[in-house]
Amino acid sequence: MTDKKLPPGLHPDTLAVREAVERSQWGEHSEALYLASSFVQPNAETAARRFAALEEGYTYTRTGNPTVTSFERRLAAMEGTECAIATSTGMSAILLVALTVLKTGDHVICSQSMFGSTIKLLGTEMARFGVETSFVAQTDVEAWKAAIRPNTRMLFAETPTNPLTDLCDIAALADLAHAHGALLAVDNSFATPVLQQPAKLGADLVVHSGTKFLDGQGRVMAGAVCGTVALVDKVMGTFLRSGGLNLSPFNAWVVMKGMETLSLRVKAESAAALELARWMEAHPKVARVYYPGLESHPQHALAMRQQNGMGGAVLAFDVVGEGAEQLRAQAFHVIDSTLLCSITANLGDVKTTITHPASTSHGRLTEEQRQSAGVGQGLIRISVGLEHLDDLKADLLRGLDTLT
Ligand SMILES: *Cc1c(COP(=O)(O)O)cnc(C)c1O
């Protein structure tokens, strides 16, 4: 039983709570959770028709589940794409993109400051299958352009990046990709559709780690790819069903409940992050703050245009110090002095998280890869949650005020 038919032209905030509400025969108000690995068929003939895809109906959760379908429809509506496909994690979403879009002999271009596992997957793992990857400076459209080759199949961007909040111009990259017969994929885990809808700016594929803001409360892992029916539903869906990269219905249900408050959370966290960033910029023990909402950010104008006037919840800063060893000790001191902030690599949570990227999220990279990602030993990343701002400032001051 599906909900009333929704009127057209609804805003993302409305879609987040109203799109694709799937109800059981009892008409429960909250979305039903169909926690089942398989579905009973009314008779052998129907089973045969459903397995042959001649008739709609669920058979086995790896090939489809109503709760997972609801999550996919809701995310697609919020991203403004024809459809979405749910995966077990953000990385399995990126793996799905890599294995369906790329083949031996293809070339992919991506930013050198992307999520660590994405760099590892596209730069190292895919090389074993004969896929070539070029890494370029995130912010420089000319660098992306110069890296184009006749066999370039895809441009893969993440904006803003983790942890330095570098942006790329999605519309410009989409034009560049399309002029050379390539696809543009954008990882929108950081920005979420509340800040930007990459498909509306020309991106062909929008990738998500639902583990971050979509859930928003640090409970489950999830991922998704959004795009056209022809590519995402048909090509990627077929691969996903064979490859078993699917999302668990329980996790889909949890993330869907998280998405209901996504807009409120992201707007509140973004406002708090801006105030925190301004305050930090004035602190003598902070060498530099990276935050797109600040006028000092090199791409502030692009951020305001592309991100719905918001900077997002994530900011990073360098503590003062000299040499890798001292910088690392200073950063560890600030992190270890906090009593509220959670020391965890997760982000997008209602609880503020604090992390040292050089030894955690970027710890597995070679020193050279880390250098080109711009992640120094004095860098600290914060994903601002929903605590009172005064309490957060006090928490950071514990370490900052006692630095040498
Ligand atoms: C966390 C993250 C991923 C990976 O997602 P998982 O759900 O951890 O697999 C990919 N991209 C970005 C930008 C992320 O922050």
Side-chain angles (χ1 to χ4, degrees), residues 89-91 94 115 118 158 187 189-190 209 211-212 221-222 347:
T89 64
M91 285 323 299
I94 297 172
F115 185 66
T118 309
E158 180 188 315
D187 184 331
S189 309
F190 254 61
S209 166
T211 315
K212 313 292 166 53
M221 305 205 78
L347 60 91

Side-chain angles (χ1 to χ4, degrees), residues 285-306:
K285 295 294 165 66
V286 174
R288 183 170 169 192
V289 182
Y290 306 82
Y291 185 66
L294 290 176
E295 288 76 14
S296 61
H297 191 283
Q299 297 157 294
H300 177 66
L302 173 63
M304 293 301 102
R305 190 170 76 235
Q306 184 165 277

